């Protein structure tokens, strides 16, 4: 019989029923330290009191009105985001992939209203992940996600990550925008050289192409800055945000300069749910947490500790690990053995970590992770690594 739940996931057989700070509790009562945070979503930990208060207070008042009316929470949250980023304007969505859709529409529309209707190509980079809608899988370019879903959409080009010559060959008067994750997430926590990102900015400045940063995973403090572009001394024209911005409530956003957004006039885009009062209540409370003095200092402090300790862990298990990479609390352990084995062994030890492309074990703890919890995580990672090494030795 076909399962009642569409079988598009190969799910781990564990059901969590409760969360508290950096810990998850399963149906059977077992406690886990969570270095996955619902894939970089639960940035402020589970059952965060400020977020619970914001959500439950709003739940008593009003859930949804549609975007036919003013939504005060959208006005305040957009002002906070504009005040703390490069952007002049913000649109709220329910998810990351919806933000990607709008970013692509916005870039094309910008050139359309500026007299270049044929300038609609979007260039992305190998290893990218931009979501699962039709435009997002075409932008992502991953064959696994495209197969069987009809012909490739026109207007999407892709080049190897870091290959400026290939990029220069493919762009032209037909190119509307470049889209890139400043640090690839799903692709395997693959870093992008700052010089390459700066070269993209210059190429866009020289040609009028728009630079879209997909900060759905890197944003909202994950890398130790509010947004990863701040490390680079450059600004994108359009930025997609989701995951951490809702602290666990479905919320995404597109941030843009006035110039990039100049085609988005009344009637050109919309959403029924996007930016609804519940999402805005949580989003406002979440950004207040992220902007609070000392928050990013804490992220950087815990991240520095983890990177240091992980460097030692990798050096101590050369048959298991190839290296450690990433920035802030977005960390990848490149494995020599199958990453799935490490995930399962860590879980058995009470630590949740995530898979990623390129045989990488991904660590995305809540940004509120304490130093004690970071130490506990390191102990569990170290225990897991020693067990796997011992198993390998015994098998030889
Ligand atoms: C998760 C992710 C997306 C897709 O977001 P959804 O909310 O799953 O639609 C897009 N881009 C990046 C970089 C992501 O990490």
């Amino acid at each position: 019989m076909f399962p009642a739940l569409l079988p598009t996931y190969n799910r781990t057989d564990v059901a969590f029923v409760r969360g508290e700070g950096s810990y998850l509790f399963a149906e059977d009562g077992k406690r886990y330290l969570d270095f996955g945070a619902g894939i970089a979503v639960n940035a402020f930990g589970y059952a965060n009191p400020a977020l619970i208060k914001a959500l439950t207070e709003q739940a008593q008042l009003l859930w949804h009105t549609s975007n036919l009316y003013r939504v005060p929470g959208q006005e305040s949250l957009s002002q906070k985001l504009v005040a703390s980023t490069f952007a002049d304007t913000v649109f709220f969505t329910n998810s990351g992939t919806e933000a990607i859709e709008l970013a692509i529409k916005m870039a094309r529309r910008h050139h359309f209203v500026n007299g270049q209707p044929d300038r609609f190509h979007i260039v992305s980079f190998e290893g990218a992940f931009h979501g699962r809608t039709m435009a997002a899988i075409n932008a992502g370019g991953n064959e696994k996600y495209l197969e069987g879903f009809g012909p490739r959409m026109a207007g999407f080009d892709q080049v190897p990550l870091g290959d400026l010559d290939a990029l220069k060959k493919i762009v032209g008067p037909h190119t509307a925008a470049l889209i890139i994750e400043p640090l690839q997430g799903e692709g395997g926590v693959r870093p992008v050289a700052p010089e390459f990102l700066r070269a993209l900015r210059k190429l866009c400045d020289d040609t009028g192409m728009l630079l879209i940063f997909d900060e759905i995973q890197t944003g909202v403090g994950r890398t130790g800055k509010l947004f990863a572009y701040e490390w680079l001394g450059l600004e994108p024209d359009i930025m997609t945000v989701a995951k951490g911005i809702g602290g666990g409530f479905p919320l995404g956003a597109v941030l843009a300069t006035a110039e990039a957004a100049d085609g988005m006039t009344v009637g050109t885009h919309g959403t029924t749910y996007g930016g609804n009062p519940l999402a805005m209540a949580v989003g406002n409370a979440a950004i207040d947490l992220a902007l609070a003095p000392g928050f990013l200092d804490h992220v950087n402090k815990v991240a520095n500790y983890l990177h240091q300790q992980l460097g030692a862990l990798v050096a101590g298990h050369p048959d298991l690990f190839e290296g450690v990479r990433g920035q802030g609390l977005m960390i990848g352990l490149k494995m020599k053995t199958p990453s799935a084995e490490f995930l399962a062994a860590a879980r058995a030890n009470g630590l949740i970590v995530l898979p990623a492309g390129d045989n990488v074990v991904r660590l995305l703890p809540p940004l509120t992770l304490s130093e004690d919890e970071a130490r506990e995580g390191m102990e569990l990672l170290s225990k897991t690594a020693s067990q796997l090494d011992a198993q390998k030795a015994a098998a030889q």
Side-chain angles (χ1 to χ4, degrees), residues 12-18 24-32:
T12 301
D13 185 17
V14 56
F16 300 114
V17 292
R18 191 169 69 80
L24 279 169
F25 298 84
E27 254 174 345
D28 60 4
K30 181 167 171 167
R31 187 181 90 145
Y32 296 84

Side-chain angles (χ1 to χ4, degrees), residues 340-352:
E341 285 176 12
F342 193 91
L343 255 59
R347 196 170 58 251
N349 287 329
L351 178 71
I352 301 293

